[in-house]
Amino acid sequence: MTVTPHDLIWIRAADALEGELPDWVASQWQRVLPLVVRRDSDQHGRIAVGVRGLRRDQRAAGWVAPEHMVRSLSPEALSDTAHLLASPFVSQPPVQAAIQLAQQRWWWPWGITGSVGYALATEVPVLHDDSDLDLLIRCPQPVAEQELRRWQAFVSQLPCRVDTQVETPAGAFALNEWLRDGQVLLKTNAGPRLTPQPWSATS
């Protein structure tokens, strides 16, 4: 199975999670809960993952060998309208916002990440009244700025705060930063870099 940042993965056993982890992980995280793939790499070919706790400040970084992964779920799978309508959190503003987005036609695949994505995938009540809706759009090729502005205009009138990351072959960047400044802090496996060309691996 190939995974990308923000995918959720499940592993065979709790001891497959490696790294220097805080004490709360042992008491709150169980292998029936997913890990979040993060953007990093190591010389052993392990998958960089994040562990979510019940509190907002409980986040931990770890590693998993690929052979221990048993299932993965992409952010795009969580943006399906039927899945959203069947969620126990359907009345929450971020889920209502996602339903409105799903009813539109867009030029790119998009998905739900962050606390909303985690709640939709697990039914663990990590949503709050003021939770943001974190979104990811896949843009392997540059797209017209007017289309990105149409997306941003639409999400700006949704019933919660929305943050959109754009995923390119070179990394990921914040859409609002790109539209505002014309350059971005591109997140890559080698670390962030400032660039006006987020679709280029060398700029």
Side-chain angles (χ1 to χ4, degrees):
M1 285 181 279
T2 301
V3 295
T4 57
H6 300 290
D7 284 357
L8 299 175
I9 66 169
W10 285 257
I11 59 178
R12 298 183 191 281
D15 59 8
L17 177 60
E18 305 173 35
E20 297 181 8
L21 301 166
D23 292 341
W24 64 260
V25 173
S27 61
Q28 291 193 25
W29 182 79
Q30 306 170 30
R31 69 174 184 85
V32 296
L33 295 173
L35 302 164
V36 185
V37 177
R38 56 188 178 86
R39 198 179 303 278
D40 202 350
S41 61
D42 80 345
Q43 60 185 354
H44 305 295
R46 296 178 299 178
I47 301 168
V49 296
V51 188
R52 294 184 68 101
L54 294 178
R55 298 204 317 260
R56 295 186 188 189
D57 62 336
Q58 291 179 324
R59 302 290 185 269
W63 300 89
V64 171
E67 61 267 24
H68 294 303
M69 183 175 64
V70 295
R71 180 189 168 206
S72 67
L73 187 68
S74 71
E76 291 92 324
L78 299 171
S79 63
D80 175 73
T81 304
H83 183 87
L84 292 167
L85 291 172
S87 169
F89 309 114
V90 66
S91 63
Q92 294 272 9
V95 180
Q96 285 291 308
I99 290 169
Q100 291 184 47
L101 261 176
Q103 292 171 340
Q104 303 295 310
R105 179 171 291 183
W106 305 102
W107 286 101
W108 44 69
W110 66 277
I112 303 170
T113 64
S115 60
V116 179
Y118 192 86
L120 289 169
T122 63
E123 299 190 357
V124 174
V126 293
L127 291 183
H128 306 276
D129 290 342
D130 59 347
S131 289
D132 294 349
L133 176 59
D134 295 316
L135 300 172
L136 176 72
I137 62 179
R138 308 273 188 193
C139 291
Q141 302 291 333
V143 297
E145 182 178 321
Q146 66 184 29
E147 286 301 320
L148 292 173
R149 289 195 180 278
R150 183 172 78 89
W151 168 280
Q152 192 70 359
F154 188 87
V155 302
S156 68
Q157 50 82 43
L158 292 174
C160 67
R161 175 180 164 84
V162 177
D163 288 317
T164 303
Q165 290 273 315
V166 180
E167 186 83 22
T168 78
F173 63 90
L175 178 57
N176 64 345
E177 185 181 354
W178 170 253
L179 295 176
R180 183 187 67 232
D181 302 333
Q183 63 177 359
V184 293
L185 194 64
L186 187 70
K187 300 175 184 176
T188 75
N189 282 355
R193 59 183 174 87
L194 192 65
T195 177
Q197 296 179 314
W199 280 268
S200 171
T202 57
S203 62

